[in-house]
Amino acid sequence: SMLAYIDKRVSGGESFQRIADSFHVELPWLTNRHGQTHEGMESLEKLSLQDFASLLEDWVSERHELCGGEALCCAAIRGDIDELTRLLLDNAWDAEDRFGITAGEYAIYFQQVEALEMLMKVGA
């Protein structure tokens, strides 16, 4: 789950800001999400672990809706093996999304072991 993933990274010493940066969370989206002006990404540190995990889930969910041609990355995030199988017939395993992140990297971030194993079998 996102909460467990974030908890693990925070326990390893990472700040919410650094984690958000690794997900490429955009400041205008963050400001709109909260409906108020923030002091920048530093405002993330004021959130609870649960609220921060929820915020990242929202970000990832909205990125799913925007990804279009980045369907392989989205399938890896969800761990959707059937969709990955279908998409790998027509797409390169190392295709990047608009942020330069590959499906394999998303599978690692979201601990989608089965999806990562599948991607590794085809070359990731």
Side-chain angles (χ1 to χ4, degrees):
S1 76
M2 179 67 80
L3 182 60
Y5 173 73
I6 298 302
D7 188 38
K8 183 177 178 180
R9 288 185 66 177
V10 168
S11 296
E14 288 189 72
S15 67
F16 286 169
Q17 183 177 351
R18 182 177 172 140
I19 296 168
D21 286 345
S22 74
F23 279 81
H24 305 282
V25 175
E26 298 166 354
L27 186 57
W29 179 87
L30 179 64
T31 301
N32 289 336
R33 169 74 165 73
H34 287 286
Q36 56 187 341
T37 303
H38 286 275
E39 316 80 63
M41 292 297 214
E42 298 82 22
S43 66
L44 294 172
E45 304 307 324
K46 297 176 184 175
L47 298 174
S48 69
L49 188 67
Q50 181 78 33
D51 288 344
F52 180 68
S54 177
L55 178 111
L56 281 184
E57 286 174 346
D58 290 349
W59 171 250
V60 169
S61 176
E62 288 186 28
R63 287 192 60 204
H64 285 205
E65 294 171 11
L66 296 174
C67 70
E70 302 165 346
L72 188 66
C73 292
C74 292
I77 289 170
R78 293 189 310 272
D80 187 337
I81 301 305
D82 292 337
E83 183 72 357
L84 274 175
T85 301
R86 186 184 70 72
L87 291 168
L88 284 168
L89 296 173
D90 299 319
N91 294 281
W93 60 267
D94 61 348
E96 297 177 348
D97 68 4
R98 65 187 171 117
F99 297 104
I101 301 172
T102 67
E105 290 170 311
Y106 280 119
I108 291 168
Y109 283 147
F110 289 97
Q111 300 175 357
Q112 298 291 353
V113 175
E114 192 176 358
L116 181 60
E117 288 172 350
M118 172 182 268
L119 290 162
M120 290 174 66
K121 283 181 186 174
V122 297

